[in-house]
């Protein structure tokens, strides 16, 4: 770093607001799509794991093994399949990573339903499907959303590594800042990533409150 | 599908070429560098996180702060931190770049140690105290052995994370196995990129297996099969 360069040049941030917003938008897209895909896969998979218990151990082991593969290496291994600069090279590995958090949380959530509750539902004439949709899934919501929150925050922080294979997002600020030896850009990139993660987390907390109104009244009564 | 087969074949050729197994850019040298960096970063992460997690779990004070701190650490982007360390440093970036690598490994050790100690059955704690143990003995002879599965899980997560972060840190000038990815991408040498990635994956698997073995070795027989999510 050259002696005259300040740690942060505030005027640079002001003059690049539009550029930064564009990068943040692309960053959000690249990190949230995998969470959505992960949820689409995990909910049916989690339901299958609770219906047929023998499915769960192999699914869990595979998800954990996948999760232990370093992100950069996994992105690189997908290049031969999906190509360099393709969004899929980033989205597929990130989706696989979310499974290791989402599947166990869906299973734990569904297993939380106590025997008296499911007996009551059966007594009220609920069939299997209706019991799943109107009793088990709603009860599982808080645990599932707890998993979604972890998956979202890690996904947002991991996406910048994708810039090394040319995927854009806020990671651009890191590679560009490195080449120009420009700390402002790097610090802004880190700050915006953390802001995005916290904002997404706050939105998910609100979603959970809206989806589980009974939790609030329960707490108020207690 | 044919293109994929060619990629695998050329990566295998890269891995098996004798020239890639010697010299300062050879696989053994890079692997050793990577292990050295990882051990260094993990050591400092443990030095900070383990005592802090034990203290917070045992005393029950500051639990909320630990949870929020760990969440914030999880949100930090690896690439940004290592680049910042490199940009702010003058001269050899190796040690500055290893600071964020260690920092990012603090969260899993801290959270799991704290959770492990906190979840110890209060009756067990009372029984240990009732047997005349002082607070140190309660911690060392009752709480830590019972919390060991979670503490080991935290260490394993941290170790795997360090191996991964050290790979990314090659972009900021660190040596080690990440060099193959970064240098290979710079000159579009994909056999080198994919070959290097394969070695990193193998290293992560070996680290995982080492911790499974360690767990078998040190865990009290009465605790096996509990907390079993590994």
């Amino acid at each position: 770093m050259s002696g005259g360069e300040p740690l942060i040049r505030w005027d640079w941030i002001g003059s690049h607001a539009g550029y930064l917003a564009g990068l943040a938008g692309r960053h959000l897209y690249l990190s949230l799509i995998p969470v959505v895909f992960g949820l689409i896969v995990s909910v049916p998979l989690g339901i299958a794991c609770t219906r047929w218990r023998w499915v769960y151990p192999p699914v869990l082991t595979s998800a954990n093994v996948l999760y232990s593969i370093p992100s950069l290496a996994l992105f690189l291994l997908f290049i031969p399949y999906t190509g360099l600069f393709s969004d899929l090279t980033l989205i597929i590995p990130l989706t696989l990573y979310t499974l290791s958090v989402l599947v166990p949380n869906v299973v734990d959530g569904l297993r939380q339903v106590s025997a008296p509750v499911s007996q009551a539902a059966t007594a009220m004439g609920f069939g299997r499907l209706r019991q799943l949709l109107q009793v088990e899934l709603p009860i599982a919501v808080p645990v599932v959303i707890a998993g979604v929150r972890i998956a979202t925050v890690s996904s947002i922080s991991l996406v910048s590594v994708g810039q090394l294979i040319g995927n854009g997002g806020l990671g651009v600020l890191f590679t560009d800042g490195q080449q120009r030896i420009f700390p402002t850009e790097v610090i802004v990139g880190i700050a915006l990533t953390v802001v995005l993660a916290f904002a997404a987390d706050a939105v998910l907390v609100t979603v959970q409150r809206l989806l589980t109104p009974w939790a609030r009244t329960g707490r108020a009564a207690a | 599908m044919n293109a994929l087969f060619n990629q695998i074949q050329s990566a295998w050729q890269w891995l098996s070429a004798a020239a890639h197994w010697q010299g300062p850019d050879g696989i053994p040298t890079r692997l050793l560098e990577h292990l050295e960096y990882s051990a260094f970063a993990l050591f400092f992460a443990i030095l900070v996180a383990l005592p802090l997690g034990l203290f917070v779990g045992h005393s029950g004070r500051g639990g909320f702060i630990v949870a929020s701190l760990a969440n914030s650490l999880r949100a930090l982007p690896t690439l940004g931190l290592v680049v910042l360390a490199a940009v702010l440093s003058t001269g050899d970036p190796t040690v500055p770049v290893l600071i964020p690598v260690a920092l990012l490994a603090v969260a899993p050790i801290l959270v799991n140690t704290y959770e492990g100690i906190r979840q110890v059955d209060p009756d067990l704690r009372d029984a240990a105290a009732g047997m005349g143990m002082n607070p140190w003995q309660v911690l060392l002879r009752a709480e830590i052995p019972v919390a060991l599965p979670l503490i080991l899980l935290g260490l394993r997560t941290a170790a795997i994370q360090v191996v991964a972060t050290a790979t990314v840190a090659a972009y900021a000038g660190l040596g080690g196995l990440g060099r193959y990815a970064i240098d290979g991408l710079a000159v579009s040498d994909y056999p080198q990129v994919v070959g290097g990635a394969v070695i990193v994956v193998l290293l992560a698997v070996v680290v995982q297996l080492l911790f499974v073995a360690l767990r078998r070795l040190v865990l009290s027989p009465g605790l096996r099969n509990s907390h079993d999510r590994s």
Side-chain angles (χ1 to χ4, degrees):
Chain A
M1 192 174 121
S2 57
E5 177 70 40
L7 200 57
I8 293 198
R9 276 172 40 194
W10 297 99
D11 57 315
W12 182 87
I13 301 174
S15 58
H16 289 74
Y19 171 67
L20 293 173
L23 291 179
R26 173 142 174 86
H27 196 97
L28 263 189
Y29 164 78
L30 284 173
S31 42
L32 295 186
I33 292 287
V35 179
V36 173
F37 284 175
L39 210 51
I40 292 172
V41 175
S42 306
V43 171
L45 202 57
I47 292 170
C49 288
T50 44
R51 285 281 176 273
W52 303 287
R53 282 177 171 270
W54 58 269
V55 179
Y56 191 39
V59 167
L60 189 62
T61 306
S62 328
N64 281 339
V65 167
L66 274 171
Y67 189 72
S68 70
I69 298 178
S71 56
L72 181 59
L74 194 58
F75 296 157
L76 297 172
L77 291 178
F78 266 88
I79 291 178
Y81 293 88
T82 46
L84 196 65
F85 298 113
S86 156
D87 286 356
L88 282 180
T89 312
L90 201 58
I91 288 173
I92 297 174
L94 286 179
T95 303
L96 294 174
Y97 282 138
T98 65
L99 298 185
S100 74
V101 192
L102 293 179
V103 173
N105 278 46
V106 171
V107 171
D108 290 349
L110 290 173
R111 281 188 186 162
Q112 257 185 1
V113 181
S114 58
V117 171
S118 56
Q119 282 159 7
T122 311
M124 284 169 71
F126 279 30
R128 265 229 160 145
L129 184 67
R130 208 170 151 208
Q131 196 156 342
L132 177 69
L133 292 177
Q134 296 189 344
V135 179
E136 293 172 4
L137 283 176
I139 288 179
V141 164
V143 183
V144 174
I145 291 198
V148 172
R149 287 173 62 190
I150 295 175
T152 306
V153 171
S154 352
S155 188
I156 288 175
S157 94
L158 269 177
V159 161
S160 35
V161 173
Q163 168 60 14
L164 295 181
I165 52 164
N167 279 88
L170 293 169
V172 172
L173 300 172
F174 304 144
T175 51
D176 198 51
Q178 158 103 342
Q179 274 148 26
R180 294 165 56 190
I181 314 185
F182 184 32
T184 303
E185 215 179 346
V186 182
I187 293 170
V188 168
I190 295 172
L192 282 178
T193 311
V194 174
V195 167
L196 281 189
F198 282 16
D201 200 51
V203 169
L204 286 169
V205 172
T206 314
V207 168
Q208 183 187 333
R209 286 178 63 94
L210 292 176
L211 283 179
T212 57
W214 60 87
R216 259 174 300 161
T217 52
R219 208 170 297 150
Chain B
M1 221 44 203
N2 208 12
L4 174 67
F5 181 74
N6 287 341
Q7 289 271 14
I8 292 171
Q9 201 176 28
S10 54
W12 173 248
Q13 274 165 4
W14 182 86
L15 278 172
S16 55
H20 297 138
W21 286 88
Q22 48 197 291
D25 195 32
I27 293 167
T29 316
R30 290 297 186 207
L31 179 65
L32 211 62
E33 276 178 355
H34 206 95
L35 290 175
E36 212 176 298
Y37 299 148
S38 304
F40 181 82
L42 192 62
F43 175 76
F44 281 99
I46 292 174
L47 208 61
V48 173
L50 198 61
L52 194 59
L54 291 177
F55 171 76
V56 174
H58 180 74
S59 69
R61 272 178 287 178
F64 177 74
I65 298 172
V66 162
S68 335
L69 184 75
N71 263 335
S72 317
L73 283 174
R74 200 180 285 138
L76 287 170
T78 311
L79 183 64
L81 294 188
V82 294
V83 165
L84 184 65
V87 169
L88 292 182
S89 70
T90 46
D92 184 14
T94 305
V95 172
V97 164
L98 283 175
I99 295 170
V101 175
L103 180 73
L104 290 169
V106 164
I109 304 175
L110 184 58
V111 169
N112 283 293
T113 307
Y114 159 67
E115 278 292 328
I117 300 285
R118 194 183 63 96
Q119 282 173 14
V120 172
D121 187 348
D123 289 347
L124 182 83
R125 212 171 281 162
D126 289 346
M131 283 168 68
M133 290 189 190
N134 63 39
W136 274 107
Q137 288 171 323
V138 172
L139 179 68
L140 293 175
R141 287 157 67 175
E143 289 176 329
I144 291 182
V146 172
L148 208 53
L150 269 180
I151 296 176
L152 284 176
L153 179 67
L155 291 177
R156 187 181 78 188
T157 312
I160 290 169
Q161 197 177 333
V162 160
V163 168
T165 338
T167 313
V168 174
Y171 181 79
L174 198 69
L177 295 171
R179 287 257 59 86
Y180 297 125
I182 303 301
D183 299 341
L185 281 171
V187 295
S188 302
D189 178 1
Y190 294 113
Q192 183 184 343
V193 169
V194 176
V198 168
I199 303 176
V200 173
V201 172
L202 289 179
L203 180 59
V205 171
V206 169
V207 168
Q208 177 111 330
L209 291 177
L210 277 179
F211 272 92
V212 172
L214 183 68
R215 186 191 146 102
R216 292 242 167 100
L217 211 65
V218 301
L219 205 59
S220 150
L223 287 166
R224 280 179 206 150
N225 301 323
S226 66
H227 293 285
D228 216 342
R229 280 185 53 179
S230 54

